[in-house]
Amino acid sequence: MKIGFIGLGIMGKPMAKNLIKAGHELVVLDLNKDSVKELVDLGAETTEGAADLAKKVNVIITMLPNSPQVKEVVLGEGGVIEGATAGSVVIDMSSIAPLASREISAALAEKGVEMLDAPVSGGEPKAIEGTIAVMVGGKKEVFDANYDIMMAMAGSVVHVGDIGAGNIAKLCNQVVVALNIAAVSEALVLAQKAGVSPDRVYQAIRGGLAGSTVMDAKAPMMMDRNYEPGFRIDLHIKDLNNVLETSRGVGVPLPLAAQVMEIMQAIKQDGCGVEDHSSIVKFYEKLANIQLGH
């Protein structure tokens, strides 16, 4: 199938590459010309704008930073909506506010264009492997028709509910991930300060109930002081903003998520916004006046 792909960032670029590996033809678009060239060298086409891209394909995937960018690219001047025809499908794989997904979907529906909100989890390593988890909101028949396209980039693709449900699931995911990273940070800093090797503590507890995918992904990064972004602090702050906005809208107090949000804001002010979210540990290191080591 010929697919449009808009947004070739940390996650989008490897996802697009996996679509090419699966045999799909791609038309790609991104502000980063080097990323575009990399995909063109692999056989993709490029184009001048989102409207023109939408004219060339029936399925348009967007992978953009947040709600304003998705609204601009899809609904703005020269956007997808100007080029898409009735029967086309927009699969927004960005992590945005659920209300924004519903707003964009309603506008597209007026032109006969379907939409799925399909945010992903797993970070850059799983995007490269093609094993991300995709949580999808939208009509079941549209989900079923586009399942194979999403599975070409993923390890699991789950239909959660109507439009917006995918992003609700992603917000829940981001709460669990943020709290896990904070808990791992606290535990390893406690071990270090108490004079016990944090690596040995990690090895001792990872096979028990405390073990988690988050721990296995982030604890080694913390101990190696490797904060190359698989998922940046800035992006997790964006997601937690959407979490707290949504939770207040539906009347659900989230005291732990709010606390981790403040920790991330503090880390951002220390210049760590572009680092991996495992750098949350720096907040705890500062409080305890130590640095993790093996």
Coordinates of all heavy atoms in Angstrom, one line a residue, residues 13 20 47 73 115 123 128 138 141 181 200 228 237 240 245 247 252 272 285:
K13 N 10.9 8.2 12.5 CA 11.8 7.7 11.5 C 11.9 6.2 11.5 O 11.8 5.6 10.4 CB 13.2 8.4 11.6 CG 14.1 8.1 10.5 CD 15.3 9.0 10.5 CE 16.2 8.9 11.7 NZ 17.5 9.7 11.5
I20 N 8.6 0.6 5.3 CA 9.3 0.3 4.0 C 9.8 -1.2 4.0 O 9.6 -1.9 3.0 CB 10.5 1.3 3.8 CG1 9.9 2.7 3.5 CG2 11.4 0.8 2.7 CD1 11.0 3.7 3.4
T47 N 7.4 15.2 -0.8 CA 6.5 16.2 -1.4 C 6.6 17.5 -0.7 O 7.3 17.7 0.3 CB 5.0 15.6 -1.3 OG1 4.2 16.5 -2.1 CG2 4.5 15.5 0.1
V73 N -1.0 20.5 11.1 CA -0.7 19.7 10.0 C -1.9 19.1 9.3 O -2.0 18.9 8.1 CB 0.3 18.6 10.4 CG1 0.4 17.5 9.3 CG2 1.7 19.2 10.6
M115 N -10.7 8.6 11.0 CA -9.5 8.8 11.8 C -9.4 7.8 12.9 O -10.4 7.4 13.5 CB -9.5 10.2 12.5 CG -8.3 10.5 13.4 SD -8.3 12.2 14.0 CE -7.1 12.1 15.3
G123 N 9.4 3.6 23.3 CA 10.6 4.4 23.1 C 11.3 4.0 21.9 O 10.9 3.1 21.1
I128 N 12.7 1.1 16.8 CA 13.7 0.5 15.8 C 13.4 -1.0 15.6 O 13.5 -1.5 14.5 CB 15.1 0.7 16.4 CG1 15.4 2.2 16.3 CG2 16.1 0.0 15.5 CD1 16.7 2.6 17.1
G138 N -11.1 4.6 17.8 CA -11.8 4.8 16.6 C -12.7 3.7 16.2 O -12.9 2.8 17.0
E141 N -14.3 -1.0 12.6 CA -14.1 -1.5 11.2 C -12.9 -0.7 10.5 O -12.2 -1.3 9.7 CB -15.4 -1.2 10.3 CG -15.9 0.2 10.2 CD -16.9 0.6 11.3 OE1 -16.9 -0.1 12.4 OE2 -17.7 1.5 11.1
I181 N 9.7 5.0 37.0 CA 11.0 5.6 36.9 C 11.4 6.3 38.2 O 12.5 6.2 38.8 CB 11.2 6.6 35.8 CG1 11.0 5.8 34.4 CG2 12.5 7.2 35.8 CD1 11.0 6.7 33.2
R200 N 23.9 -4.4 42.3 CA 23.5 -5.7 42.9 C 22.1 -5.7 43.4 O 21.4 -6.7 43.4 CB 24.6 -6.0 44.0 CG 25.9 -6.3 43.4 CD 26.9 -6.8 44.5 NE 28.2 -6.9 43.9 CZ 29.3 -7.4 44.5 NH1 29.2 -7.7 45.8 NH2 30.5 -7.5 43.9
E228 N 21.1 9.5 27.0 CA 20.7 9.6 25.6 C 19.2 9.4 25.5 O 18.7 8.3 25.9 CB 21.5 8.7 24.7 CG 23.0 9.2 24.5 CD 23.1 10.5 23.8 OE1 22.4 10.7 22.8 OE2 23.8 11.4 24.3
I237 N 6.9 15.6 30.1 CA 6.2 16.7 30.7 C 5.0 17.1 29.9 O 3.9 17.3 30.5 CB 7.1 17.9 30.8 CG1 8.1 17.7 32.0 CG2 6.3 19.2 31.1 CD1 9.2 18.8 32.1
L240 N 2.4 14.5 30.7 CA 1.8 14.6 32.1 C 0.9 15.9 32.1 O -0.1 15.9 32.9 CB 2.9 14.7 33.1 CG 3.6 13.3 33.4 CD1 4.6 13.4 34.5 CD2 2.6 12.2 33.7
E245 N -4.5 17.6 32.8 CA -5.7 18.3 32.3 C -6.9 17.4 32.1 O -8.0 17.8 32.5 CB -5.3 18.9 30.9 CG -6.4 19.6 30.2 CD -6.0 20.1 28.8 OE1 -4.8 20.4 28.6 OE2 -6.8 20.1 27.9
S247 N -7.4 14.5 33.8 CA -7.8 14.0 35.1 C -8.7 15.1 35.8 O -9.7 14.7 36.5 CB -6.6 13.7 36.0 OG -5.9 14.8 36.4
V252 N -10.7 13.2 38.6 CA -9.9 12.1 39.2 C -8.6 12.7 39.8 O -7.7 13.2 39.0 CB -9.5 11.0 38.2 CG1 -8.6 10.0 38.8 CG2 -10.8 10.4 37.6
C272 N 17.9 19.6 31.9 CA 17.9 18.2 31.5 C 16.6 17.9 30.6 O 16.3 16.7 30.4 CB 17.8 17.3 32.7 SG 19.3 17.5 33.8
E285 N 19.4 12.1 43.4 CA 20.9 12.2 43.7 C 21.2 13.6 44.4 O 22.0 13.6 45.3 CB 21.7 12.1 42.4 CG 21.7 10.7 41.8 CD 22.4 10.6 40.5 OE1 22.4 11.6 39.7 OE2 23.0 9.5 40.2

